[in-house]
Amino acid sequence: MSDNNNPHVSSTSNGQAYQAYLASTLAILDQLAVDVYYASPLPSPADEALTEIVSAFTAWPRDVRQRFTVSLPADKRGLFGIFGHRAATLAVRRGDPELLRLGLIANVIANSPIPEKRNVEAALAVFYHCARKLELDPHTLFEEAVPFATEEMAERLMAFADRPDVKLKQFGWREIRTADGVRYKFEW
């Protein structure tokens, strides 16, 4: 397949694919409000759209991914963090390790750069917990997200991945069982 037919591949001859990807992403993000998306039922059409955006993000070369994260409006980055936790919830409900990985990468996007006063460890606790629920090694999961992270975030990922003491409650989370399956609620 040539680069002209694959919007997930960057080439010097076809920067238009990246521009189309960025424009499409910004259009989708522009339609989402943090509070409305956070409260929407699981799954939602926005979850599907963000799954595709993050999946495509993973296929771009590092320099293109960096341009993408810089291009995101600061007030829309939080949507990737919300998606990350929603994806983790859906991953456990569906038994889908790939969705958990994409959720963690979305969290990395939301934290590139890490916002002031952000408790990154609290956000990462859900992914660690969900990895265990899916019988995955948290270290391996977090290591797979490192190539998509800034240097600071990569260090945080790997330091957290090696912690032996991660429990949801100590990071302000609670697992709730609902008729639809598990849900994770932040209570601090």
Side-chain angles (χ1 to χ4, degrees):
M1 177 183 288
S2 76
D3 289 349
N4 292 333
N5 295 328
N6 186 350
H8 300 171
V9 177
S10 176
S11 73
T12 55
S13 65
N14 192 3
Q16 294 160 343
Y18 168 71
Q19 289 303 324
Y21 166 73
L22 178 61
S24 172
T25 298
L26 294 175
I28 290 166
L29 296 178
D30 194 45
Q31 296 174 15
L32 295 175
V34 169
D35 56 341
V36 174
Y37 178 46
Y38 180 81
S40 67
L42 278 167
S44 74
D47 295 322
E48 298 305 318
L50 285 164
T51 298
E52 289 183 25
I53 290 167
V54 176
S55 181
F57 173 84
T58 65
W60 290 105
R62 184 173 189 77
D63 65 317
V64 175
R65 293 192 310 261
Q66 289 171 337
R67 274 192 312 189
F68 176 78
T69 56
V70 167
S71 298
L72 291 175
D75 65 329
K76 296 296 184 176
R77 283 180 199 273
L79 292 165
F80 285 93
I82 293 167
F83 166 72
H85 288 117
R86 292 171 63 90
T89 300
L90 290 169
V92 170
R93 288 181 183 183
R94 297 174 180 169
D96 186 346
E98 177 60 12
L99 189 54
L100 181 61
R101 184 180 82 85
L102 291 174
L104 181 56
I105 292 168
N107 185 276
V108 164
I109 294 169
N111 289 296
S112 296
I114 299 172
E116 277 188 46
K117 300 181 182 178
R118 170 76 47 94
N119 184 346
V120 174
E121 288 74 20
L124 295 178
V126 171
F127 299 100
Y128 189 104
H129 175 81
C130 291
R132 295 283 174 147
K133 287 196 73 103
L134 293 173
E135 299 179 357
L136 303 171
D137 175 30
H139 181 93
T140 301
L141 175 70
F142 282 55
E143 192 172 53
E144 290 173 359
V146 164
F148 306 102
T150 62
E151 187 175 325
E152 180 185 12
M153 188 62 187
E155 289 173 11
R156 298 264 190 113
L157 284 167
M158 294 319 300
F160 196 82
D162 291 332
R163 289 182 66 156
D165 63 337
V166 176
K167 303 278 188 265
L168 281 179
K169 187 175 182 175
Q170 79 189 70
F171 291 96
W173 291 95
R174 185 167 59 117
E175 182 178 272
I176 301 168
R177 301 203 185 277
T178 70
D180 296 322
V182 299
R183 187 166 188 106
Y184 299 99
K185 182 174 181 184
F186 189 71
E187 297 185 325
W188 284 356

